[in-house]
Amino acid sequence: DQYYLNTIKAPQAWATINSTDTILVAVVDTGVDIYHEDLAKNIFYNQGELGKDKNGNDKRTNGIDDDGNGYIDDYVGWDFCGDGKNIFSDNMPTPGNEHGTHVAGTIGAVTNNKIGVAGVAKNVKILPVKIGVDDTTAITVGNGYEGILYAAKMGAKIISCSWGSGGFSLTEKELMKTVDDMGALVVCATGNDSRETVNYPAAYPTAMSVSAVDSDLKAAYFTNYSPKVD
């Protein structure tokens, strides 16, 4: 039933991939349900924050930046928003709004397990980077560019950003170039407002800007579009 897998020739791509190859994809979004039965197997865990420290304490909860990346106990990604009130950052990127889990599933849901859907990417590991608050109804994001930079520092080769706005920022443009120079491809949605418009980060020169098509390979009724779309 997932017509888009054949549309983008995913099965042919899968046939060319060595079974031992893996790629790290960061989902910079509203958080990811790391325990979801169709995702858990493909969640990335930071080995530098796992196991025991020299004092015998669990590195996941010892309050120490064991891997020296500037984030304490980030064993399974990072939350850049927290509850949006008292805690603005923590080490548990489980979702507020379910959007991020949906995106993670589209990318990396486990295949051939008779559960849910099949993700596009074979042999993928998902790095959850939460930029939405702990609210199931919240439809805004914050600290997105900090999340993108974190993902690149963690070694993500693909960074998914299914969000954006019309606001341009020179600082954000430079950050996107920095991330590109680090070897990460940032894939961004153009938005779902059914009109011709330019959204960022999708419209920054180093981003891959993506609109949506339907099963007839025509523009989906909801998708935005512009000359910036790759």
Side-chain angles (χ1 to χ4, degrees):
D1 294 332
Q2 295 174 248
Y3 71 85
Y4 55 87
L5 294 177
N6 287 322
T7 299
I8 64 173
K9 296 182 172 59
Q12 292 92 317
W14 294 338
T16 71
I17 297 173
N18 189 298
S19 61
T20 61
D21 292 337
T22 59
I23 188 168
L24 181 60
V25 178
V27 176
V28 181
D29 211 287
T30 61
V32 175
D33 180 359
I34 61 175
Y35 305 111
H36 191 290
E37 61 181 349
D38 208 18
L39 281 174
K41 181 180 176 182
N42 286 343
I43 297 297
F44 170 80
Y45 286 85
N46 177 13
Q47 296 302 309
E49 294 285 353
L50 295 179
K52 302 291 185 180
D53 64 19
K54 61 183 181 182
N55 297 316
N57 298 315
D58 190 336
K59 289 183 179 180
R60 297 176 300 174
T61 57
N62 64 358
I64 298 172
D65 181 12
D66 294 285
D67 62 354
N69 69 349
Y71 295 88
I72 295 172
D73 298 337
D74 62 325
Y75 71 96
V76 64
W78 195 254
D79 178 353
F80 282 87
C81 280
D83 62 14
K85 298 175 183 178
N86 302 312
I87 302 173
F88 293 97
S89 186
D90 61 62
N91 71 332
M92 188 46 63
T94 49
N97 189 301
E98 64 185 10
H99 184 266
T101 299
H102 165 75
V103 171
T106 301
I107 296 168
V110 178
T111 59
N112 294 330
N113 62 351
K114 298 182 180 181
I115 297 172
V117 297
V120 169
K122 187 178 181 180
N123 303 340
V124 67
K125 290 297 181 183
I126 298 292
L127 170 63
V129 182
K130 180 170 173 285
I131 58 168
V133 297
D134 300 337
D135 181 346
T136 59
T137 63
I139 58 173
T140 59
V141 295
N143 302 325
Y145 293 90
E146 291 88 339
I148 292 171
L149 183 59
Y150 168 81
K153 287 181 176 179
M154 292 299 292
K157 294 302 180 184
I158 307 290
I159 301 174
S160 170
C161 298
S162 191
W163 47 270
S165 71
F168 169 87
S169 163
L170 184 59
T171 300
E172 292 167 357
K173 178 183 177 183
E174 290 300 314
L175 184 145
M176 291 285 287
K177 183 179 185 306
T178 297
V179 168
D180 184 68
D181 291 341
M182 294 169 70
L185 174 64
V186 186
V187 183
C188 307
T190 59
N192 302 326
D193 307 305
S194 306
R195 60 192 178 98
E196 182 172 2
T197 187
V198 173
N199 268 352
Y200 298 92
Y204 288 125
T206 54
M208 175 178 281
S209 179
V210 180
S211 288
V213 297
D214 60 23
S215 57
D216 295 321
L217 290 180
K218 296 181 179 179
Y221 73 92
F222 55 81
T223 196
N224 291 347
Y225 52 92
S226 82
K228 298 284 188 181
V229 176
D230 296 292

